[in-house]
Amino acid sequence: MAITKITTDVIDMSGNAGGLTWAKGTTAEQPGSPTAGDLRENTETSRTEVYNGTEWRNLKEAPPSLTVDFLVVAGGGGGGYSAGGGGGAGGLRTSYGSSSGGGNTNESSLSLSIGTAYDVEVGSGGAGATSYSLRGSNGGDSTFSNITSIGGGGGGTRAGGLYSGLNGGSGGGEAGDNSGSKGLGTANQGYDGGENTAAATGAAGGGGADSPGVNNGGSNSGGAGGSGLEVNIIGGTGNYYAGGGGGGGQNGYSPGAGGSGGGGTGGTSGGGQNGTPNTGGGAGGDGNLNNSGGTGGSGIVILRTSVSQATFSSGVTCNGTAGGGTISGVADGSDYVYSITVAGATDTVTF
C-alpha cells in the first residue's frame, strides 16, 4: 500500500462537513509493529486508542452510556410467633411501568456507563419467630447501582415487649391482643403494617408495596397482608411483587391471607406460610398453637436495557444461569431483560 506523506504544518479541513476517518478494527487486529503516535478506533471497545511506544492506551474520554430501567425488590420480613403479626413486604423501587407503591411514582431510568461494573445484591427473606423471645426478622436489602430497597419489617410476637411489628420497606404487622403498634413502611417503597384495634387474639397483616396490612378489627381472625404491586418489566401482565404476609389467628378462626405478590398466609392451628422466593413477599404470622412464623420471600433485581449481553461476577444467578459470566438477556421487543435472583454483597454487573 502506498504511503502519502503530508509535509505541511497545517491541514485546513474547515470546508468539509464530514468527519476524518481513522484506522479501525478489533483488539486482535491491532498492527503487529505499531509506531509511537499511531491512532486507531477499537471497534470492540468503542474507544479511540493511541500507541505510546510501549502499549496501546485509550484516549481520555467519557465512556459510552446506556439507559437501564430497574425493578429492585428487597427480601420480605419474617412472621411473628403465637398469633404473630404478618411480615412486611420487601421495599420496592422501580423505574418501569405503572407504580404507586408506598405513595410513590415511577423513578427515573438510570444512565450508566458501558464497561463499568455496578454493584448488585439480592436481599434474603427474614427468618420467622420460633419462640416468645423473638419477633420475625427483617428481610435483607437489595441493591443495584445507587438504588437500595429496604428489607421488609418482621411481624410482632404475642409476648411482653414484642407485640409491635418492625419498621422496614413495608412494616410488619402487630401481634394479637392490642398491646403494641404497627411497623412503619419506607416512603417510596412500601406501606405500614396493620395494627389491632381491640384486645382480640387475631394478629394484623404486614404491609405491602401497594396497600397497608389489614387490622384485625377486634377479631380473633388474622388480618390480611397488604397487596403487592404489578410491575411488568419482564413483559406480559400480572407480574406482582412485594405482598405483605397475613397475620396469625386464634385456633379455629380464619388466618390472614397473604397479599398478592408473594405474601404468605398466616397460621391458626399451624405455623405461618413462607413468602414466595424472589418476590419480596412477607411471611405469614404463626397461629395461636405455638409453631413458628414463616420465612420471608427473597428479593429480586430485574434490569431492562438495549444491550443484549451483560457480564456478572461469580456469585450471581441471572436468567436461570448460576455462576456469573457473560449472560444473554431475554429479548422483549427491542429490549433485553436480566432477572437476577441471587447476588451477594460483593457481586457486580457490567454492560
Side-chain angles (χ1 to χ4, degrees), residues 76-80 84-90 136-137 152-156 170-173 193 204-208 225-226 243-247 263-264 280-285 294 296:
S137 298
S170 290

Side-chain angles (χ1 to χ4, degrees), residues 88-92 101-103 138 150-153 165-173 182-194 206-209 211-213:
L92 183 154
N138 281 20
I150 306 300
L166 296 177
N167 301 337
S170 290
K182 63 185 178 182
L184 302 179
T186 300
N188 205 46
Q189 298 195 24
Y191 281 86
D192 298 345
S211 68

Side-chain angles (χ1 to χ4, degrees), residues 110-136:
L110 297 180
S111 180
L112 304 180
S113 298
I114 292 176
T116 298
Y118 291 95
D119 293 337
V120 60
E121 181 176 4
V122 174
S124 59
T130 56
S131 74
Y132 283 111
S133 62
L134 299 169
R135 290 186 180 92

Side-chain angles (χ1 to χ4, degrees), residues 74-80 83-91 126 128 136-137 152-156 165-166 169-175 182-183 191-196 202-216 221-228 241-249 254-267 271-276 279-287 293-297:
S137 298
L166 296 177
S170 290
E174 181 188 355
K182 63 185 178 182
Y191 281 86
D192 298 345
E195 58 188 352
N196 299 330
D210 202 36
S211 68
V214 177
N215 303 336
N216 79 341
S221 297
S227 58
Y241 303 90
S254 299
S260 58
T265 298
Q273 292 184 355
N274 297 336
T276 303
T279 66
D286 180 29
T295 298

Side-chain angles (χ1 to χ4, degrees), residues 307-340:
V307 176
S308 62
Q309 289 186 322
T311 301
F312 297 88
S313 55
S314 60
V316 174
T317 298
C318 176
N319 293 346
T321 299
T326 299
I327 296 174
S328 297
V330 176
D332 184 37
S334 60
D335 291 333
Y336 296 88
V337 180
Y338 300 86
S339 296
I340 302 164

